[in-house]
């Protein structure tokens, strides 16, 4: 296990899992670069991290702003070479049984997939040149099988999972570690709109502790909690007729997470 990262960047750190991860790593000597769109929430997250002794830099940037994000990330990495980047910012397209319209689906892909590319690509040449660093991509258990209630969300997270698995093997010879994070239900703003019971739901703080442990051990896939992770994996592995029938029954009106 390696020691905790000393210089890290988290997108979507203004709430939920990203904020909880920032707090988890906040300690004297740690340098945190945090971003999100909501300046007020981001400032509150930064203040909590500073109160734990960390040095914190913030920027309100939309992860779909490719040039803006690249400029900020390069500036952060110039100031203190990053040990860890967490591409966490993500959205779902809402709740209920209504079909995602095209613009909602495109927004989901722009944030959840392009946002990851916009976060990671500026750092790739730097990390490989240094032969060091770790990349964490936040996917979801929704990545394991297409969902009738959240098509773009599930597809965007499947893409992120595949990208991370590919990068992990591709970048390992260059000394760069890559992990894919697949949380089940976590209590955050994203799941606050879910109107259905969320099995094995956990707090963002607990999720952050599980993620940090998996990252320290350089696990390729950090999927949790195990009951929903196992069920999701099985759903994706079953023959399609059975998988379709079970997913139809299980998904009902559920979405996002
Ligand atoms: N909660 C769950 O059950 C669950 C399960 C599996 C995976 N996930 C994934 O975990 C990640 C974090 O979600 P969360 O549950 O913690 O939800 P959350 O509390 O809503 O946090 C999402 C974060 O992403 C940021 N964000 C959203 N769109 C953005 C954009 N275009 N540009 C920059 N930042 C943006 C938000 O910041 P602003 O609001 O300030 O823009 C916020 O900080 C997401 O990728 C989500 O898909 C969550």
């Amino acid at each position: 296990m390696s020691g905790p990262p000393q210089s890290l960047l988290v997108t979507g750190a203004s709430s939920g899992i990203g904020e909880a991860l920032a707090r988890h790593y906040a300690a004297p000597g740690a340098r945190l670069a945090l971003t999100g769109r909501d300046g007020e929430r981001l400032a509150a997250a930064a203040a909590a991290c500073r109160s734990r002794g960390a040095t914190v830099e913030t920027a309100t940037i939309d992860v779909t702003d490719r040039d803006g994000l690249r400029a900020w990330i390069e500036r952060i990495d110039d100031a203190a070479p990053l040990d860890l980047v967490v591409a966490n910012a993500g959205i779902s397209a809402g709740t209920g049984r209504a079909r995602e319209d095209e613009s909602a689906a495109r927004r989901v892909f722009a944030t959840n997939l392009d946002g990851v590319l916009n976060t990671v690509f500026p750092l790739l040449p730097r990390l490989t040149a240094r032969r060091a660093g770790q990349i964490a991509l936040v996917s979801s258990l929704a990545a394991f099988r297409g969902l009738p209630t959240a098509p773009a969300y599930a597809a965007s997270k499947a893409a992120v999972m595949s990208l991370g698995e590919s990068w992990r093997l591709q970048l390992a010879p260059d000394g760069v570690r890559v992990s894919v994070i697949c949380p089940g239900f976590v209590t955050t703003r994203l799941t606050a709109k879910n109107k259905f019971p969320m099995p094995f739901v956990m707090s963002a703080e607990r999720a952050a502790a599980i993620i940090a442990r998996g990252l320290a051990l350089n696990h390729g896939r950090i999927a949790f909690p195990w009951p929903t992770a196992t069920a999701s994996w099985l759903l994706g592995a079953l023959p399609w007729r059975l998988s379709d029938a079970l997913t139809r029954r299980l998904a009902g009106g559920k979405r996002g997470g």
Side-chain angles (χ1 to χ4, degrees):
M1 195 192 286
S2 55
Q6 291 302 294
S7 175
L8 62 142
L9 183 146
V10 184
T11 68
S14 55
S15 69
I17 296 170
E19 178 183 2
L21 267 174
R23 284 174 188 246
H24 180 94
Y25 286 119
R31 295 173 67 112
L32 272 57
L34 309 179
T35 183
R37 292 168 305 178
D38 186 300
E40 233 171 82
R41 285 203 304 270
L42 190 61
C49 294
R50 286 191 190 104
S51 74
R52 294 176 177 218
T55 302
V56 185
E57 175 130 7
T58 60
T60 49
I61 307 175
D62 194 308
V63 288
T64 63
D65 174 3
R66 180 175 162 185
D67 294 338
L69 194 59
R70 171 178 284 274
W72 182 66
I73 288 175
E74 288 180 347
R75 194 165 60 72
I76 293 292
D77 193 64
D78 283 344
L82 287 162
D83 305 323
L84 170 66
V85 56
V86 186
N88 163 74
I91 56 169
S92 76
T95 55
R97 286 165 184 276
R99 290 201 182 135
E100 289 167 353
D101 63 23
E102 181 180 344
S103 64
R106 288 188 186 280
R107 258 198 318 278
V108 167
F109 275 103
T111 305
N112 296 5
L113 183 55
D114 291 347
V116 168
L117 302 178
N118 295 343
T119 304
V120 174
F121 270 110
L123 286 167
L124 279 186
R126 290 163 175 252
L127 298 181
T128 52
R130 295 201 289 266
R131 300 189 61 75
Q134 185 168 30
I135 298 167
L137 306 185
V138 179
S139 173
S140 168
L141 292 184
F144 287 83
R145 137 98 229 185
L147 298 173
T149 47
Y153 184 78
S156 67
K157 293 300 184 181
V160 168
M161 185 166 81
S162 177
L163 194 61
E165 287 172 352
S166 307
W167 275 340
R168 180 176 174 83
L169 299 188
Q170 186 187 51
L171 297 175
D174 293 314
V176 178
R177 291 159 288 145
V178 182
S179 297
V180 175
I181 298 160
C182 298
F185 291 112
V186 180
T187 307
T188 65
R189 293 167 58 82
L190 186 138
T191 49
K193 47 197 173 184
N194 288 350
K195 301 273 186 286
F196 52 85
M198 295 185 282
F200 303 100
V201 65
M202 68 172 68
S203 69
E205 289 68 33
R206 171 127 179 76
I210 292 170
I211 292 166
R213 191 169 62 235
L215 291 177
L217 294 166
N218 187 26
H219 285 174
R221 182 184 290 174
I222 303 165
F224 60 91
W226 74 263
T228 35
T230 307
S232 303
W233 172 81
L234 194 61
L235 216 50
L238 287 171
W240 68 266
R241 278 182 216 281
L242 193 52
S243 179
D244 269 9
L246 276 173
T247 305
R248 205 178 276 123
R249 279 185 69 152
L250 287 171
K254 299 175 190 174
R255 183 186 300 270

